[in-house]
Amino acid sequence: MNKVEIIRQNTVEIIPEDELINKLNSGKQLRVKWGIDPTAPDVHLGNAVCLRKLREFQELGHKVILIVGDFTAKIGDPSGKSIKRPQISDADIDKNMTNYIPQILKILIPDLTEFRYNSEWLGKLTSEQIIKLAARFTVAQVLEREDISNRYKKGEPVALHELLYALFQGYDSVAVHADIEIGATEQKFNILFGREVQREFGHPLQVVITLPILEGLDGVRKMSKSYNNYIGITESPREMFGKLMSIPDSSIINYIRLTTNINENEISDIESQLKEGKVNPRDIKIKLAREVIAIYHSNEEAIEAEEEFIQVFSKREVPTDIPVYVSHEKKVWIVKLLVDAGIVATRSEVRRLIEQGGIEIDGQVVKDVNFELENDAIIKIGKHKFLKFNMK
């Protein structure tokens, strides 16, 4: 494949494509921009769709400029949401980025990656400069953004600061001299608006590349920590394998296409075999899981995770390496235990799991949210987690 074909793979839109071709053929090292959401501390496979595209640019010799939206995160971006996004503190942003950056560099080439915080330029704008910047655009232009327009038409609140978000994100492109900006389809308006801001400042216009959104484990909503339907790239091979085996059959091809290095010819062949019933979806999920784990861990760990999965879920055996929680009390409430052990985040989530039949003790489904343990036990939580409970 030539360089244009490489970049074109798995994109939704390239706006405009002829400008991309000209830029790629110019011989110039391009500056490719992507905005980082600093409100989350972990990279998941959904984020990795964009990161893997950025890596393709790097392998062609171009530089990736990652904009950490520390300033804009404190404004709140409602992209793809029907309600305003909560704002975040500087301390939380610093904490999240401490975890986030090493994970990003598992995918990107460090020497061709530049991190920039947009408070570097946006935080220095005076009130007069902000007003002059805003004066270049109309409210009608901002209301073209579908999510804001829909809320406005329904009489739902739209705060004034939200109207400035696209303007500031566009100014980021001016500040870093972006040649290309990529993002998920839900960011299309903001990225296109960046071209308008560049035009106002007399800068060359960036090419806009939008990428598909990877659905989460539920096969419906986008992958997100908020929906608890995600697969983190730093999760253990065993946990990644189990989660990938749980995706709906309808998501298999999209996951293969967006999360692995399997070529398009092989993907088309797999898709045909699945449609014709010539292959068991379970076998393709195993292949998918092996491929993903090999990318973020190693081939050896992928094989071990597969063997563990078959042992635990096909033969109904308990994993050999599971966490142990020791209690010195005579009785322990199951809800409190799982939260204290760090297996489940909240008591309400434990109650929900019990109501859905998602917790087993020594092979028996727990039906009572008030259940108390009085003896040593093996606890299974959901499809993938185990806890060994010991009384002392």
Side-chain angles (χ1 to χ4, degrees), residues 2-251:
N2 62 41
K3 50 193 172 185
V4 176
E5 290 172 333
I6 290 170
I7 298 304
R8 190 184 289 131
Q9 280 191 119
N10 296 331
T11 61
V12 176
E13 288 184 278
I14 298 175
I15 308 172
E17 187 165 316
D18 60 335
E19 287 185 20
L20 173 68
I21 293 170
N22 291 338
K23 287 178 185 289
L24 289 173
N25 291 334
S26 68
K28 170 190 172 184
Q29 184 186 53
L30 302 175
R31 294 173 65 79
V32 187
K33 173 192 169 194
W34 184 54
I36 296 176
D37 173 12
T39 64
D42 297 304
V43 177
H44 54 63
L45 292 183
N47 306 132
V49 173
C50 286
L51 288 167
R52 283 161 58 80
K53 181 59 64 178
L54 293 171
R55 174 63 184 245
E56 290 175 358
F57 275 104
Q58 290 183 323
E59 289 174 351
L60 293 173
H62 304 297
K63 189 145 193 185
V64 166
I65 316 299
L66 298 177
I67 306 296
V68 180
D70 59 333
F71 185 91
T72 41
K74 288 179 285 185
I75 295 175
D77 173 25
S79 294
K81 300 173 179 65
S82 59
I83 58 173
K84 295 176 291 180
R85 181 188 220 163
Q87 298 168 3
I88 187 172
S89 69
D90 287 325
D92 286 335
I93 289 172
D94 290 342
K95 181 180 177 181
N96 289 342
M97 292 312 300
T98 298
N99 294 323
Y100 210 75
I101 290 174
Q103 294 177 50
I104 285 174
L105 295 180
K106 286 173 70 73
I107 300 173
L108 298 184
I109 301 170
D111 290 345
L112 290 173
T113 303
E114 180 179 323
F115 289 91
R116 300 287 296 274
Y117 288 71
N118 65 8
S119 60
E120 177 186 334
W121 48 87
L122 295 179
K124 294 176 182 177
L125 292 176
T126 65
S127 299
E128 181 181 357
Q129 289 172 317
I130 292 172
I131 292 171
K132 285 183 176 179
L133 180 62
R136 295 172 182 258
F137 302 94
T138 67
V139 172
Q141 283 176 287
V142 179
L143 285 177
E144 289 176 12
R145 180 164 157 169
E146 186 177 3
D147 54 341
I148 289 181
S149 176
N150 288 341
R151 285 163 51 202
Y152 181 75
K153 289 175 183 176
K154 292 176 182 177
E156 296 176 0
V158 176
L160 285 174
H161 76 276
E162 295 180 69
L163 304 183
L164 295 175
Y165 186 91
L167 187 64
F168 285 145
Q169 184 170 323
Y171 191 75
D172 291 345
S173 294
V174 171
V176 301
H177 301 279
D179 295 300
I180 296 169
E181 181 170 1
I182 75 167
T185 51
E186 64 185 8
Q187 282 290 334
K188 178 181 175 180
F189 177 89
N190 287 341
I191 305 175
L192 281 172
F193 204 83
R195 284 173 59 90
E196 299 307 313
V197 179
Q198 286 176 317
R199 180 180 283 113
E200 286 291 322
F201 281 86
H203 281 225
L205 306 188
Q206 65 188 18
V207 171
V208 173
I209 299 179
T210 60
L211 299 169
I213 295 172
L214 181 68
E215 67 269 27
L217 299 176
D218 52 14
V220 179
R221 296 177 295 185
K222 73 174 187 177
M223 184 173 289
S224 170
K225 289 203 74 173
S226 300
Y227 300 141
N228 196 30
N229 65 353
Y230 69 98
I231 302 173
I233 68 168
T234 58
E235 290 184 20
S236 70
R238 184 175 65 201
E239 190 158 11
M240 290 179 82
F241 203 101
K243 286 186 175 183
L244 286 163
M245 291 299 294
S246 75
I247 66 170
D249 293 352
S250 58
S251 294

Side-chain angles (χ1 to χ4, degrees), residues 318-329:
V318 175
T320 56
D321 180 23
I322 62 175
V324 178
Y325 185 87
V326 178
S327 174
H328 296 277
E329 300 178 26

